[in-house]
């Protein structure tokens, strides 16, 4: 069985750390082991909370456990996770960060869209 942890990262962090996924990966892994007040405050700062009754499509091949900071998804394959959970999340928001600790894999649920990045940049123009 495959196990994935899905974190809903705040948009500011998403834009700032999109190309620094190794930093987020190491932090999220260590946060599962080191459960201190300081780490919890950092998680609160960079992630959105999942609702206590987060409901996503589930079937007999997929098990979802909701925590305040992440969703734990257990299923038989990446294909199953993609077809049942990840596709629904992708339609909801693009700032979900997924880690697969057993295989040392991580990544964003959707690529960053250049237009989104450009809308975050404010430019001043002068017309002399």
């Amino acid at each position: 069985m495959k196990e994935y942890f899905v974190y809903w990262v705040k948009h500011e962090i998403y834009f700032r750390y999109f190309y620094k996924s190794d930093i987020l990966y190491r932090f999220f892994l260590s946060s599962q082991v080191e459960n201190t007040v300081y780490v919890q405050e950092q998680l609160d700062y960079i992630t959105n909370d999942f609702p206590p009754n987060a409901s996503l499509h589930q079937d007999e091949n997929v098990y979802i456990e909701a925590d305040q900071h992440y969703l734990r998804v257990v299923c038989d394959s990446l294909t199953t996770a993609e077809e049942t959970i990840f596709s629904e999340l992708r339609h909801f928001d693009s700032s979900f960060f997924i880690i697969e600790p057993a295989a040392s894999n991580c990544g964003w649920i959707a690529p960053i869209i250049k237009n989104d990045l450009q809308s975050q940049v404010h430019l001043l123009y002068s017309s002399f």
Side-chain angles (χ1 to χ4, degrees), residues 10-27:
K10 291 181 180 174
H11 283 274
E12 175 186 344
I13 304 301
Y14 171 70
F15 287 116
R16 187 171 293 163
Y17 286 89
F18 184 81
Y19 294 107
K20 300 173 186 175
S21 57
D22 58 322
I23 295 171
L24 287 176
Y25 176 73
R26 288 192 310 267
F27 171 70

Side-chain angles (χ1 to χ4, degrees), residues 80-94:
T80 303
E82 174 62 39
E83 291 172 352
T84 58
I85 305 302
F86 298 162
S87 62
E88 289 185 36
L89 291 174
R90 189 176 291 112
H91 284 66
F92 178 72
D93 197 352
S94 61

Side-chain angles (χ1 to χ4, degrees), residues 3-9 27-35 39-40 43-44 46-56 63-74 85-86 89 95-101:
E3 180 181 47
Y4 303 97
F5 292 89
V6 180
Y7 294 87
W8 186 11
V9 177
F27 171 70
F28 288 137
L29 272 184
S30 68
S31 73
Q32 292 177 356
V33 176
E34 185 181 341
N35 193 7
V39 170
Q40 290 302 311
L43 279 171
D44 289 339
I46 68 171
T47 62
N48 293 306
D49 292 345
F50 283 101
N53 299 328
S55 62
L56 293 169
Y63 171 77
I64 301 171
E65 178 185 328
D67 183 76
Q68 177 184 358
H69 298 292
Y70 61 82
L71 291 177
R72 180 176 166 254
V73 179
V74 179
I85 305 302
F86 298 162
L89 291 174
S95 61
F96 289 103
F97 190 76
I98 303 169
I99 65 171
E100 181 186 9

